[in-house]
Amino acid sequence: MILLHGTGTHNKGAELMAVAVLQHYRRLPHPPEFAVPPQFGSYRDRAKYGLWTLMQERRWGRAKLVSLLAHPAFRRKYGLAVESDCTTVIDASGFAFGDQHGPRPTQTMAAQCKRWKSQGKKIVLLPQAFGPFSSPEIRQACRQLVEHCDLVFAREETSLGHLMDVVGPRENIRQAPDFTNLVEGRLPDGFEPWEDAALVVPNTRMLDKTDPQTAEKYLPFVASVIAWLRNAGLRPALLLHTPEDEQLLPPLTDLAGNAIPVLR
């Protein structure tokens, strides 16, 4: 059994990473089972993807009692897993470890990896954005995190540089690109893409997760991309990744000049 960490249905990007991992492993002749923390999503979400629920054993409560007292056959019947069931941890957080989120996520993950490694588990951090790591607290947590992982994949050169700045070159640090484009897509029922379509995906996180100078330039940049696509003879449309991106439509429509189709 593999513990799939850092994913969930709370946003489409995190869910897409889970789907990519599951699609990959379930093509194997003997695919492993996967467990996720309860925070992954609702029971329906976990059931939809055929995931076991990892019981939170570190605090005294019902989950702790069940993990201690319930027979493994009882746990299997109800799809409940404990940490000792998992031989491997795969983290697909995407973007959780760096100054933008403060030191707490990196510190928490570092402590978890230290505990998992003491249990003999293999730990892999799939390609994701890292850093920067500026404060002494987060740099110390980053070092501990890397030390207890078997493999850490930075998604691009900037993230790799942030890791190297803290821990230097290491055998267990590699660079590899985002993997969610491996997912086999499925068009919605009734949707027929038009000829010469070009989909532009705006992201509201570019406004609230970047510095003010970058945020100010973002929407004009997207508008310039739309104009470039039109000049190239393509027919662009906006594809909304999440409902939060809806707020970008009015300013983008103004900047783009002409009405542009919107896909949700």
Side-chain angles (χ1 to χ4, degrees), residues 134-201:
S134 299
S135 69
E137 295 83 5
I138 199 170
R139 291 176 70 86
Q140 181 180 358
C142 177
R143 282 190 289 269
Q144 185 179 15
L145 175 62
V146 172
E147 286 170 3
H148 291 98
C149 289
D150 294 274
L151 282 172
V152 178
F153 288 98
R155 196 161 58 185
E156 20 65 30
E157 290 184 2
T158 301
S159 293
L160 183 65
H162 289 318
L163 288 173
M164 296 295 182
D165 177 60
V166 178
V167 300
R170 297 212 177 195
E171 285 292 323
N172 63 333
I173 297 179
R174 316 270 178 88
Q175 183 180 339
D178 176 35
F179 54 91
T180 53
N181 56 352
L182 300 176
V183 170
E184 295 177 0
R186 186 178 69 246
L187 291 176
D189 293 337
F191 174 72
E192 291 291 337
W194 54 92
E195 189 177 354
D196 298 327
L199 304 185
V200 179
V201 187

Side-chain angles (χ1 to χ4, degrees), residues 19 60 69 77 122 136 138 156 158 173 175 189 234-235:
V19 171
W60 278 103
L69 303 177
K77 181 178 180 179
K122 297 291 185 182
I138 199 170
E156 20 65 30
T158 301
I173 297 179
Q175 183 180 339
D189 293 337
L234 300 173
R235 293 194 288 169

Side-chain angles (χ1 to χ4, degrees), residues 55-227:
M55 299 196 314
Q56 306 292 287
E57 306 169 61
R58 296 187 298 282
R59 298 177 182 173
W60 278 103
R62 286 172 293 181
K64 181 74 169 179
L65 288 173
V66 171
S67 67
L68 290 174
L69 303 177
H71 192 276
F74 174 88
R75 298 203 309 268
R76 285 196 298 271
K77 181 178 180 179
Y78 293 100
L80 302 174
V82 294
E83 281 192 348
S84 60
D85 294 326
C86 303
T87 61
T88 304
V89 179
I90 291 179
D91 178 87
S93 296
F95 180 40
F97 310 122
D99 290 347
Q100 294 90 334
H101 304 281
R104 181 67 62 83
T106 308
Q107 291 170 332
T108 300
M109 186 61 177
Q112 288 178 318
C113 288
K114 183 178 181 180
R115 186 181 73 255
W116 290 329
K117 184 50 62 178
S118 71
Q119 298 168 355
K121 303 186 194 307
K122 297 291 185 182
I123 306 170
V124 178
L125 272 56
L126 291 185
Q128 52 193 279
F130 290 101
F133 303 98
S134 299
S135 69
E137 295 83 5
I138 199 170
R139 291 176 70 86
Q140 181 180 358
C142 177
R143 282 190 289 269
Q144 185 179 15
L145 175 62
V146 172
E147 286 170 3
H148 291 98
C149 289
D150 294 274
L151 282 172
V152 178
F153 288 98
R155 196 161 58 185
E156 20 65 30
E157 290 184 2
T158 301
S159 293
L160 183 65
H162 289 318
L163 288 173
M164 296 295 182
D165 177 60
V166 178
V167 300
R170 297 212 177 195
E171 285 292 323
N172 63 333
I173 297 179
R174 316 270 178 88
Q175 183 180 339
D178 176 35
F179 54 91
T180 53
N181 56 352
L182 300 176
V183 170
E184 295 177 0
R186 186 178 69 246
L187 291 176
D189 293 337
F191 174 72
E192 291 291 337
W194 54 92
E195 189 177 354
D196 298 327
L199 304 185
V200 179
V201 187
N203 190 343
T204 190
R205 295 284 80 85
M206 289 296 294
L207 300 184
D208 61 13
K209 294 295 185 182
T210 61
D211 60 84
Q213 292 79 13
T214 302
E216 184 178 358
K217 295 176 182 177
Y218 178 64
L219 291 179
F221 166 74
V222 176
S224 71
V225 170
I226 294 170

